[in-house]
Amino acid sequence: MIRRVLRLTTGRIAFGILAAIAFLAAFGPLLAPYDPLEGTTDILANPSGAHPLGTDYLGRDVLSRLLDGSRVSVLGAVQVALLALVVGVVPGILSVYFGRAFEWVTLRLADTLIALPFLVFAVAVTALLGNGIPQAMFVVGVMVSPLFYRVARAATLSVARSQYVEAAIVAGASVGWVVRRHVWVKVLPPIAVALANTTGVGFVVVSSLTFLGIGVQPPAPTWGGVLAADLGYLSFQPWAPLVPTALIMATVWACNLLADAIRDVTGEAGRALLNTRKLDPGKVTNGSPVAP
Amino acid sequence: MRRALSILAHSVAIFVPVFLVATFVTFALRALSGLSPASLQLGESATPEAIAQIERQWGLDRPFLTQYLDWFGDMVTGDLGKSWYNGADISRLLVEGAAISLSVAGLALLIGVVFGFGFGVLAALRRTTWVDRAITGFMTFISVMPSFVVGIALVGVFAVGLGWFPSAGYSPAERGLGTWLAHITLPAIALSFDTVSDVARQLRAGLVAAYRENYVTGAVVRGLGPRRIFFRHVLRNGVGPALAVLGLKFPNLLGGAVVTEAIFGMAGFGQFAANSAQRGDVPAVQGVLVVSVVLVVVFNLIVNVVLARVAPASARGV
């Protein structure tokens, strides 16, 4: 599947951007030329040879802060998406097989999570539970999990009603065997699409939270946190938000692009099940249940 | 009329469990967080006896279920309890905050509907031309902009740079509609981008699909005018997904208030939630969450009824 995605131009662009971001997350903290926490007397300096992106209101080097903050920002989004995957997919598949009571309960839970005002809940619950990164990841991950639940459930339903699965059941196959053998293959492509989408969503949410000082508290640097610091000094440095903004938007865009590319190569099955980020004139789709 | 009522009943049946689950989770937050009014009032060095006494005062030594039923009963009658932080009546504090947040969310919704429908219809009418491609590209672009980024950009350009709008604060409508609008315009725009792009894209997709239907071809063949075809045949059948998205967007508009209110320094719902949560003021947080859940549920009921009237086919799914 990866090879087929890479054959598309959009897939290559998305992979390129994401690879660069991953590199920042892996090595960014090592590349930082200054200590991201140490202030100097040289406050709110314009970009120069010594400070390519200038300094902030405490004289800290902005480039170092962005590089150092990249790991938390990126890993946060990935953790959110993976947690949502686990929390959503398993009940999504089981809801088809575990009887009506389980189905009803999980459907109502998914409805509830979708109906909640997302950011308010994320902020409130994270802060109440202790305002740390693990709490934030947990809360956001659970809150975006209904997307995976719905995707996995829809794919499982379509397989469960197909004739070859009925034939397998008639021939004596167990539910576990059917899930491993037939369901899993069908569920995987839409889940890959959803994973790319939720990584983008998780990224926006994590940046929003860090922007508000929730989850990661100042002075620890994050992309959202750097933006928050810029906001107070817009009249001195109106250009300052540009770089963190560009980083955040490029990452989100690459995630969406990747989702589209996976959808394109996995074809109609994935497309019919998901909210399409891309405009597909032939299909009317439902809106995304999760967006910050 | 009877159909509308049955739709309403059906939607209520869906949303009652949602409401019950959401409020239960909200209530359970105190137990999950392990916070107590004692830590707020007495600080770190409190003796166990003093803590126990304060918890007794607040009725926290009773069984969990008794507390829940009590709280639920009070909540239904509009009493959200008192703040641990300053003992103020939470319902009263929330009414003040709600006015701010609902003004911004309402204006954002209006912007989302007007521009979302405008762009969506325009793209569908000029489908496959450069107008369509330009609109589609622009919608994709603004859909990846987080609201705090838009907010900062708006402050930078229109408040700090050009000075057309105040950069922060809120002024109630009673003190003049002009200043009220000036204060909520930028936050509402920042909040609306996501709604504009999603509504426009869903509407375009819905309308373009409707234009391909045989009944539209039939209408063209019968010699009906383009205006009549659009309003009678295409719009009614293609608007469903866009309206459904609108129903899903309202929680985001309300929830996004946390971010925009932080940027624009407004003492609304979101700020109240964030500040209370950071102080550990559990009843205040529970109050905000309950009220926002109620608002979302009510809004979704309205959307479902409208949807059922405009596009009857959608009533089957909900």
Side-chain angles (χ1 to χ4, degrees), chain A residues 108 112 115 117 119-121 124 127-128 207-208 211-212 214 227 234-235 245 249 256 277 279 281-282 284-287 291, chain B residues 17-18 33 35 136 141 144-145 148-149 156 160 201-202 204 209 212 241 245 251-252 255 258 262-263 277-278 285 289 292 296:
Chain A
R108 293 292 83 77
T112 308
L119 268 178
V120 173
F121 257 76
L128 281 188
S207 335
S208 306
F211 175 78
L212 294 170
I214 302 281
L227 267 179
L234 269 185
S235 38
T245 301
M249 283 180 59
N256 290 343
R277 272 286 173 187
L279 276 176
V284 182
T285 52
N286 290 317
Chain B
V18 167
S33 69
L35 291 169
T136 304
F141 177 68
V144 300
M145 291 170 76
F148 62 94
V149 166
V160 176
R201 290 188 295 186
Q202 292 294 344
R204 179 200 175 277
R212 292 210 187 131
V245 164
N252 295 340
V258 185
I263 295 174
Q278 277 169 329
V285 175
L289 299 187
S292 51
V296 167

Side-chain angles (χ1 to χ4, degrees), chain A residues 34 38 64 70 73 129 151-152 161 171 178 209 242 246 249 274 282:
Chain A
Y34 297 91
E38 199 187 297
S64 302
S70 53
S73 312
L129 294 184
V151 164
R161 288 185 187 146
V178 167
L209 290 185
L242 286 181
M249 283 180 59
L274 275 163

Side-chain angles (χ1 to χ4, degrees), chain A residues 213-291:
Chain A
I214 302 281
V216 181
Q217 279 147 333
T222 54
W223 292 356
V226 170
L227 267 179
D230 292 338
L231 177 63
Y233 302 91
L234 269 185
S235 38
F236 304 104
Q237 294 182 314
W239 44 266
L242 286 181
V243 177
T245 301
L247 280 172
I248 292 172
M249 283 180 59
T251 315
V252 178
W253 184 65
C255 287
N256 290 343
L257 213 56
L258 184 65
D260 287 344
I262 301 174
R263 184 158 35 230
D264 286 347
V265 299
T266 53
E268 212 56 34
R271 194 172 306 179
L273 295 169
L274 275 163
N275 128 64
T276 37
R277 272 286 173 187
K278 191 174 155 188
L279 276 176
D280 178 24
K283 280 271 187 297
V284 182
T285 52
N286 290 317
S288 155
V290 279

